[in-house]
Amino acid sequence: MQNIPYYQEAFTKYLNAFTTDKNPQTLYNPIHYILNLGGKRLRPVLTLIAADIFNSDYKKALDAALSIEVFHNFSLVHDDIMDDAPLRRGHQTVHEKWNINTGILSGDAMLILAYQLFEKYEPEIFQALARLFSKTALEVCEGQQYDIDFETREDVSIPEYLKMIEYKTAVLVGAAMQMGAIVAKASEEDQNKIYDFGRFLGIAFQLQDDYLDAFGDPKTFGKQVGGDIIENKKTYLYIKSIEFSAEEDRIQLQHLFSLSPSDPKDKIEAVKEAFTTSGAAEATRQEIVNYTNMAFAVLETLDISEENKVALKLFGEQLMNREV
């Protein structure tokens, strides 16, 4: 297993060679635009890593990795339309730069392109990749719908929230790793295990994102700290705080989440104080550790070298100790 920048560089080079230079350009230019806005490329890198640790040439997994990245960005294009988001990674969103209809159509085209990339594999691998991809894509849609539904609900439970982030975020991380294992022709048992490793790590990653949104360092986080609080999003921190708080404090927190002040500074500080004093902040940190340890427990059962187990564990630890 190589270091992460090695895989990132290899994937970025492959991505840059992926062209859809055909007409109508108004359909394909937005695809190039969103794919070249950058990002950590975490999911495709995991596909390459998985192929590598199961003793395959990671280059054989580049098309599967590209499929994951194209699908992920397709979901971002449509998410931005639903959220009416003006910016993505510091740049105009596709529907703002072009228009909503173009955003919908270009996103649809990206979903089809993601499937087409599997056609380069032999039938058995193609079938396995397509089956996993279809299952995962549908779960991502289900997770997005849960997220939308939760916006208007006051009774979201912790199990419901965890299921939502599992479907919206974590299953794609698990699938990215399993796709690499499929390309490497790993055993079905190991394919399922590496999927679970990625899924547990994906849940921990999203919980960490929730935590950093409230308590991250503005200098390193990369986006506005307190964004979820401003948007009144009912994250793990919020649900736990409601669960742990006395009735008076619970009512106050619910009131704060009904407000949208022009200057949200005081609201953010009050909510963060509630998250801390209720014990929700500590409970969130502990849940991040719990899911990370669940991922590491699966890792120990994989039929891979000890060297690769150590490298994957180090990667997981770095992911959970990030500040961005």
Side-chain angles (χ1 to χ4, degrees):
M1 178 177 163
Q2 304 290 335
N3 58 35
I4 302 304
Y6 178 90
Y7 297 109
Q8 287 173 323
E9 183 178 351
F11 176 75
T12 301
K13 184 177 179 181
Y14 197 72
L15 173 64
N16 290 340
F18 175 65
T19 59
T20 52
D21 187 17
K22 49 188 176 181
N23 292 318
Q25 291 186 358
T26 46
L27 177 69
Y28 292 103
N29 285 348
I31 297 174
H32 286 297
Y33 174 77
I34 186 70
L35 287 174
N36 287 286
L37 285 187
K40 295 181 285 293
R41 314 292 189 193
L42 171 66
R43 295 156 193 82
V45 163
L46 290 176
T47 303
L48 302 184
I49 288 174
D52 210 348
I53 64 171
F54 287 113
N55 302 314
S56 176
D57 182 353
Y58 76 87
K59 293 177 183 177
K60 293 180 179 179
L62 280 166
D63 285 311
L66 183 54
S67 175
I68 282 286
E69 184 69 358
V70 172
F71 173 79
H72 173 59
N73 280 275
F74 140 74
S75 71
L76 297 182
V77 171
H78 281 195
D79 283 358
D80 287 341
I81 292 171
M82 286 184 277
D83 294 341
D84 195 22
L87 296 175
R88 166 68 61 182
R89 297 169 186 150
H91 297 269
Q92 277 186 297
T93 48
V94 167
H95 71 277
E96 285 287 334
K97 187 173 176 65
W98 282 271
N99 55 65
I100 289 177
N101 288 345
T102 296
I104 292 170
L105 282 171
S106 293
D108 291 345
M110 291 174 78
L111 179 58
I112 297 164
L113 289 168
Y115 268 106
Q116 280 189 332
L117 285 160
F118 298 145
E119 295 173 4
K120 299 183 180 182
Y121 292 101
E122 61 191 74
E124 186 177 344
I125 292 177
F126 168 86
Q127 187 179 44
L129 290 172
R131 185 165 52 244
L132 174 61
F133 185 89
S134 296
K135 169 183 172 289
T136 304
L138 194 56
E139 287 173 336
V140 170
C141 291
E142 290 170 1
Q144 177 69 8
Q145 186 61 53
Y146 282 132
D147 195 21
I148 293 168
D149 292 346
F150 292 172
E151 290 177 6
T152 55
R153 281 182 51 189
E154 294 294 339
D155 59 344
V156 178
S157 67
I158 288 296
E160 286 179 313
Y161 183 76
L162 289 173
K163 182 178 182 180
M164 183 272 287
I165 64 172
E166 177 183 350
Y167 279 23
K168 188 175 178 182
T169 301
V171 294
L172 194 58
V173 178
M177 300 210 78
Q178 188 173 348
M179 283 185 179
I182 289 171
V183 172
K185 299 183 178 180
S187 70
E188 189 172 336
E189 182 181 2
D190 276 334
Q191 287 180 27
N192 292 331
K193 286 178 178 178
I194 199 68
Y195 174 88
D196 283 338
F197 171 77
R199 180 170 61 89
F200 290 141
L201 212 57
I203 294 172
F205 182 89
Q206 184 57 54
L207 290 172
Q208 178 83 333
D209 210 53
D210 287 357
Y211 182 84
L212 288 174
D213 189 273
F215 297 103
D217 184 343
K219 296 177 182 176
T220 59
F221 186 45
K223 53 185 178 181
Q224 183 178 22
V225 171
D228 287 345
I229 296 171
I230 294 170
E231 295 176 24
N232 296 321
K233 285 192 175 181
K234 302 177 185 74
T235 64
Y236 192 92
L237 282 162
Y238 173 84
I239 298 169
K240 271 295 178 186
S241 192
I242 290 293
E243 178 186 330
F244 288 164
S245 296
E247 183 176 2
E248 182 180 344
D249 294 330
R250 186 164 60 248
I251 292 171
Q252 173 63 15
L253 183 57
Q254 289 172 330
H255 173 66
L256 285 168
F257 268 66
S258 70
L259 304 175
S260 298
S262 56
D263 183 355
K265 183 179 178 182
D266 290 342
K267 174 185 172 178
I268 291 171
E269 290 307 312
V271 170
K272 287 170 63 175
E273 178 68 19
F275 288 166
T276 301
T277 57
S278 67
E282 179 56 35
T284 303
R285 285 196 295 267
Q286 187 55 53
E287 196 71 344
I288 293 165
V289 172
N290 290 344
Y291 273 99
T292 304
N293 287 339
M294 288 165 70
F296 291 164
V298 172
L299 180 59
E300 290 304 315
T301 68
L302 281 171
D303 185 20
I304 59 175
S305 70
E306 286 302 316
E307 181 183 356
N308 282 333
K309 287 180 182 178
V310 170
L312 275 178
K313 188 169 184 179
L314 178 61
F315 167 73
E317 289 171 345
Q318 289 172 340
L319 204 61
M320 292 309 107
N321 290 322
R322 77 192 199 281
E323 296 180 349
V324 296

